[in-house]
Amino acid sequence: MAFTRATGKHRARSRTFRGSVRVAGAATLTATGVISSLAASPALAAGTDAAAAQTGLMQALVINDSLAGTIDAQADAQHRAAEAKAKAAAKAEAAREAEARAQEIRAEKERAARAAERARLNAFQLPIAGSYVTTGYRAGGSLWSSGSHSGVDFRAASGTSVVAVGAGTVVEAGWGGSYGNNIVLRMSDGTYTQYGHLSSIGVTVGQSVTPGQRIGVSGATGNATGPHLHFEARTGPDYGSDIDPVAYLRAHGVNV
């Protein structure tokens, strides 16, 4: 015997309705405070079962749409905030890298400047730019009391600038007998250099000089037959400690 179900009664709810209820239920779990307060209101409690179901469905859908919009807005705001934070972090990192690179460049320039200064201070040059030797070391003759030349003579017209061949300190500056007006420098490597027959002196004892610094002017003072520069290299400050000036200059990289 077949059983039939009365029309309009005990009909299974539609798939759309069940889906909506599930959505409403999910929304209720997500925003319990909002839906619970609405469900507890007297307006929702009144009316027939059918009216209550229909009203609850409509309000659940409205609440669900509103909540979804709120969640979307919050998500967008969080996303924008995360993007802004990431951009700020990237900008800060780029600034740190740029500053680090700038510091490296400054340090490299400072090292290069110090190296250049050390090279300059360690450099040697001719006592008279562009000049050449006219009388060699140990040349013999009656012009020298010892019987031989204790230095070399560089060609120089009277009034030509005489410079320090390297970095050093002035240990003598004044009259030197047969040397005339002369200057003696203690060089940075511990050796000594002498500049004789000067017409004038431009430094004082104790003064530090750098390579190429003007220290006097050439002339013909003392035991000299004409203007020139007498140049000596020594192991000590006193007469008799002389060494070959040309070999000395060449050993320090000067082309003589």
Side-chain angles (χ1 to χ4, degrees):
M1 180 177 179
F3 293 93
T4 59
R5 183 175 294 168
T7 302
K9 293 183 180 180
H10 308 295
R11 180 179 299 170
R13 293 174 178 176
S14 69
R15 183 176 300 172
T16 301
F17 185 87
R18 290 197 303 271
S20 299
V21 172
R22 283 197 297 270
V23 171
T28 302
L29 292 175
T30 306
T32 305
V34 176
I35 298 178
S36 297
S37 61
L38 289 171
S41 65
L44 292 177
T48 63
D49 291 341
Q54 188 175 16
T55 302
L57 173 61
M58 295 303 295
Q59 289 186 351
L61 291 174
V62 171
I63 292 170
N64 184 59
D65 290 342
S66 176
L67 182 59
T70 301
I71 293 172
D72 288 344
Q74 290 176 346
D76 289 342
Q78 291 173 354
H79 181 68
R80 287 193 297 271
E83 285 185 340
K85 185 176 181 180
K87 289 180 180 178
K91 185 176 181 180
E93 181 62 22
R96 284 192 296 270
E97 291 179 354
E99 178 59 24
R101 180 54 183 159
Q103 290 178 353
E104 290 179 359
I105 292 173
R106 288 194 295 269
E108 289 174 359
K109 289 182 177 179
E110 290 173 359
R111 286 193 294 270
R114 288 193 297 268
E117 181 64 11
R118 284 194 300 270
R120 186 184 72 83
L121 293 177
N122 291 328
F124 275 66
Q125 60 188 69
L126 290 173
I128 294 182
S131 186
Y132 56 89
V133 174
T134 57
T135 305
Y137 180 60
R138 293 299 186 187
S142 59
L143 293 174
W144 303 284
S145 59
S146 63
S148 65
H149 201 198
S150 57
V152 294
D153 291 341
F154 280 97
R155 180 184 181 278
S158 184
T160 303
S161 292
V162 176
V163 302
V165 295
T169 304
V170 180
V171 296
E172 183 179 337
W175 186 257
S178 61
Y179 290 106
N181 292 322
N182 87 124
I183 298 169
V184 177
L185 303 179
R186 184 182 188 278
M187 311 306 291
S188 58
D189 63 358
T191 60
Y192 292 80
T193 55
Q194 182 185 33
Y195 312 77
H197 307 308
L198 304 175
S199 62
S200 65
I201 295 172
V203 292
T204 57
V205 173
Q207 180 179 342
S208 295
V209 296
T210 57
Q213 180 178 334
R214 177 173 170 166
I215 58 176
V217 177
S218 64
T221 59
N223 185 14
T225 58
H228 69 280
L229 172 70
H230 175 83
F231 176 76
E232 285 190 22
R234 299 174 176 175
T235 58
D238 301 322
Y239 177 83
S241 62
D242 53 276
I243 56 178
D244 186 348
V246 172
Y248 174 82
L249 290 173
R250 286 175 178 171
H252 287 86
V254 180
N255 185 22
V256 183

